[in-house]
Amino acid sequence: MKLKHALSAVALFTAGLLAPVVGTAPAAQADTLICDQYGSTTIGGRYVVMNNRWGSSAQQCINVTGSGFRIQTQQGSTSGGAPLSYPAVYLGCHYGNCSPGSPLPRQLSRIGSASSSISYTYVGGSTFDASYDIWMDPTAKTNGVNQMELMIWFNRVGGVQPVGGRVGTTSIGGRSWEVWQGNNGGNDVVSYVAQSAISGWSFNVMDFVNDVDNRTRVDRSWYLTSIQAGFEPWSGGVGLAVNSFSANIG
């Protein structure tokens, strides 16, 4: 679960404080429908999929497949401020809920590579961003708020923007990115926004981590605690899907 902060009218407030996880659902075999606010399950014996409806009391349901999930129901809507939720799939630990056999947290100095791959499905008529949410902390934290949040926005629709302000552009992984920096009241945030929508990509998460290292107080003594991929909807969202996701720590 991930609780965000509605502390300003800046459209996108990335992962902030979350309510504590009270339990983990059994591993998904066939498709599994999750409507509980912070409901979760595991897929592939390796990843956790969470509904994580932290910013709305309206119903949201996700249909979890063997390789990802699809937003099945989204009854909430907001015109500004924080998003409604962050349904996502992840490797690592998130508010005490760790993926099976998780290799994270791990100190950055002990990570040679963190390869990841994603395939998204986008739909029209919605306001959202599609984002990786990568968490780092000075300690090997498995619960509570991490001090640094790195977001990679693969797509954004409806005028939403990251927390903070734009500080420039950079090239990572052969692509050009807008760079935004700020603080949501609970943690620092560095966001990388794609110049155009990316529906699928395989890349090294450490390429982005190293850029954050150069820009902020993060150094190699810090820990990578989770790699997450999903959506932040403000309105609509039915049909948005993570078709597949993988992450490997080397």
Side-chain angles (χ1 to χ4, degrees):
M1 293 131 240
K2 148 179 165 178
L3 191 62
K4 306 256 186 182
H5 299 272
L7 298 180
S8 89
V10 179
L12 217 157
F13 272 61
T14 65
L17 304 175
L18 288 133
V21 177
V22 284
T24 303
Q29 303 301 320
D31 287 6
T32 300
L33 189 67
I34 299 178
C35 298
D36 291 347
Q37 182 175 12
Y38 296 120
S40 68
T41 190
T42 59
I43 60 173
R46 180 171 173 78
Y47 306 109
V48 175
V49 179
M50 60 182 178
N51 195 29
N52 197 15
R53 178 177 49 82
W54 61 267
S56 172
S57 59
Q59 186 182 62
Q60 172 181 282
C61 298
I62 57 173
N63 185 61
V64 182
T65 68
S67 60
F69 69 90
R70 174 185 181 273
I71 299 178
Q72 190 83 13
T73 304
Q74 176 56 265
Q75 296 180 354
S77 180
T78 180
S79 59
L84 302 168
S85 60
Y86 183 60
V89 54
Y90 68 87
L91 176 76
C93 297
H94 184 81
Y95 280 78
N97 191 8
C98 295
S99 57
S102 174
L104 302 175
R106 184 180 294 181
Q107 201 164 33
L108 296 178
S109 62
R110 297 181 54 241
I111 300 176
S113 66
S115 59
S116 190
S117 181
I118 188 75
S119 170
Y120 282 117
T121 291
Y122 302 130
V123 295
S126 302
T127 300
F128 70 93
D129 70 83
S131 176
Y132 267 64
D133 212 6
I134 296 159
W135 290 96
M136 290 170 282
D137 196 81
T139 65
K141 184 175 288 187
T142 60
N143 205 345
V145 181
N146 286 198
Q147 292 189 28
M148 176 59 68
E149 179 181 16
L150 188 171
M151 300 196 81
I152 309 171
W153 284 27
F154 279 50
N155 194 10
R156 59 172 170 169
V157 176
V160 295
Q161 65 185 39
V163 63
R166 179 174 169 174
V167 297
T169 60
T170 192
S171 178
I172 298 176
R175 298 177 182 271
S176 181
W177 308 86
E178 294 180 9
V179 184
W180 294 64
Q181 285 186 246
N183 185 288
N184 61 20
N187 52 268
D188 294 331
V189 185
V190 179
S191 301
Y192 299 85
V193 181
Q195 301 290 316
S196 58
I198 302 171
S199 59
W201 196 32
S202 296
F203 65 104
N204 186 357
V205 170
M206 293 303 293
D207 290 342
F208 291 89
V209 171
N210 291 336
D211 190 78
V212 167
D213 189 357
N214 292 332
R215 295 175 185 274
T216 69
R217 59 197 175 103
V218 172
D219 61 41
R220 304 295 286 179
S221 70
W222 283 46
Y223 290 79
L224 176 65
T225 64
S226 69
I227 299 172
Q228 309 178 5
F231 299 96
E232 292 183 314
W234 274 259
S235 64
V238 171
L240 294 172
V242 169
N243 305 311
S244 63
F245 167 83
S246 68
N248 294 281
I249 308 300

